[in-house]
Amino acid sequence: IRAINSGVVIEGFTLRDYDVGVLLWNANSDATTYSFVVSGNHIVSNDSRGIHFTGVFTGVVRNNFIDDNYYYGIDFDKYTVKKGPEPVRIENNIISGTVNRGVRIDGEAWVSLSGNTIRNHEWGVEILGKSNVSIDGDTIEYNISEGIRIFLAQNPVSITNCVIRNNTYSGIASTTDSGHHIVSGNTITSNATG
């Protein structure tokens, strides 16, 4: 499904074997913000991304099964994503089984993750660029490299009340000093390093 300049509701679909399952594309040059809902879908086995954001958005990705999408389960585009007036909320999804990243947050995105299960990727969640990200109450497990990778990020990240376990290398890895990350109330176990 491709939604361009639209406050779309995408609910109850099975999206399989496309290049991208859901493309949310805000192509307006006037910084108009669209609010969307992506809820209750099976987004599986797509060749590139399960969900791809480009532009300025606010809205929610909730209660989806996002599995076996080749590169990314959910991807915020590096070059075009800008911060909207509220965070994009990613809530209560199962995001599993990509070759690359479960959730990649790049550009200038404002994203809140909560209540998701993110497993069996190379990196569970990767945070880059000027993004503002909070991760609260997620289970991030069985990833090949790190559960959460903060890489070249320019803003502090908040990671609270998560279960981060059984990741091959690190539960949380940060390659940059972007201020004071908040890491609090998490259960971090059975990773090669915390």
Side-chain angles (χ1 to χ4, degrees), residues 36-127:
F36 65 87
V37 176
V38 179
S39 179
N41 302 286
H42 282 72
I43 304 171
V44 297
S45 301
N46 294 289
D47 293 338
S48 177
R49 297 159 171 89
I51 301 173
H52 185 200
F53 293 94
T54 178
V56 180
F57 286 97
T58 187
V60 62
V61 176
R62 177 187 299 134
N63 300 326
N64 299 284
F65 180 67
I66 303 170
D67 182 59
D68 194 32
N69 297 284
Y70 191 75
Y71 287 113
Y72 311 116
I74 299 174
D75 181 31
F76 290 81
D77 189 83
K78 174 179 183 175
Y79 301 104
T80 63
V81 169
K82 304 294 182 193
K83 182 178 179 180
E86 298 176 0
V88 172
R89 300 185 328 271
I90 300 174
E91 302 172 347
N92 303 316
N93 301 283
I94 296 173
I95 305 168
S96 60
T98 64
V99 171
N100 214 309
R101 293 144 176 93
V103 180
R104 184 182 80 141
I105 304 168
D106 205 343
E108 298 176 16
W110 184 12
V111 180
S112 167
L113 289 93
S114 63
N116 302 286
T117 298
I118 303 170
R119 64 164 64 109
N120 298 327
H121 308 280
E122 185 167 1
W123 294 283
V125 178
E126 185 178 45
I127 301 160

